[in-house]
Amino acid sequence: MITVLKPGVASEQIDNLVEWFEKQGLRVHISEGEYNTIIGLIGDTTKIDVELLQVIDIVESVKRISEPFKNANRKFHPEDSVIEIGDIKIGNGNFAMIAGPCSVESEEQILEVATKVKTYGAHMLRGGAFKPRTSPYDFQGMRGEGIDLLLKAKEKTGMPIVTEIMDASHIPLFEDVDVIQVGARNMQNFELLKELGKLDKPILLKRGLANNIKEWLMSAEYIMAGGNEKVILCERGIRTYEEYTRNTLDLSAVPMIKQLSHLPVIVDPSHATGIAKLVKPMALAAVAAGADGLMIEVHNNPAKALCDGAQSLNPEQFKDVAEKVAKIRQVI
Ligand code: PEP
Ligand code: MN
């Protein structure tokens, strides 16, 4: 349920109303907009007498929210959320390019890729240290050592780093990581989401391989319900019956999310297609569809990559994508 207050209400009056809601056992989320303040209510609102609430002099309107996601709902927070990572902002017209290899493989590799993608227009560096591989016999990532190398690359380039977590027990290793990624395979690892909800750190939440938008937003809700509102959604393709591409990029999810939620949404055209040649057209389409950013896999030598080489761009191909993205952004 949301209670929209009339413009210019004194903070004391808001406090009194909030106190009253809390006494009814409800959790309160306040969103201060340009004109109105919106009080979002979470919990059992059935005992609230809507007609009574509506006649309070400071109240403009009261609406019940039918969707199960509340904190992530645009009705709770009509303005776009902006997530800040150092000097970088994502959302509400702020666009960010995240680039880097699927996996951190060595110091030379990550430093070379980081330096190049930064020169070519990336704002943040990605790189997997803990890798969710289908086969236990494939390269599993450099783990803690991989995070240390990402931090070295951050020191060298100044770029914030994004890397994936697979288990809540690893959280201490991520202390200096700027953005923690929750991969597609862990989108519904609810215990992990709850732990990430206790942090004060941006979380990049990828869409699950076979999850719909409502389930994805409910996973964001898990993180936000714990108090961490810094969630960035990432569309990375879903599994369909199509076999020529690794996944099917659901670009309609971008404008749909914008309608349903205030959270920023970025697109990963690398995992969405699995094919390097398809990354550029899908990246440009994502920007045209209104994405707040892109996450693109870039390797210094894709043919030799230990993971996801077929979908990785080389740094020069990334430069071309970044230039074309800038042009599309000018148009829209
Ligand atoms: C990744 O970003 O390297 C990754 C494993 O992505 P996803 O979880 O989308 O498959
Ligand atoms: Mn990958």
Side-chain angles (χ1 to χ4, degrees), residues 45 60 68 71 94 106 113 119 128 145 171 185 194 221 230 254 283 300 306-307 311 322 328:
T45 54
E60 188 166 282
N71 287 286
N94 301 288
S106 68
V113 177
T119 310
E145 203 188 329
I171 286 177
R185 290 154 191 82
K194 281 185 210 167
E221 192 72 20
K230 298 175 186 169
V254 174
N300 50 337
L306 296 181
C307 181
Q311 68 194 34
I328 300 276

Side-chain angles (χ1 to χ4, degrees), residues 102 126 131-132 164 181 183-185 206 236 246 268 271 295 297 308:
C102 179
R126 66 149 284 145
K131 292 305 305 174
E164 178 170 352
Q181 174 174 324
R185 290 154 191 82
K206 287 195 152 195
R236 46 78 75 210
R246 182 174 177 182
D268 169 352
H271 292 88
M295 178 185 250
E297 285 190 341
D308 286 351

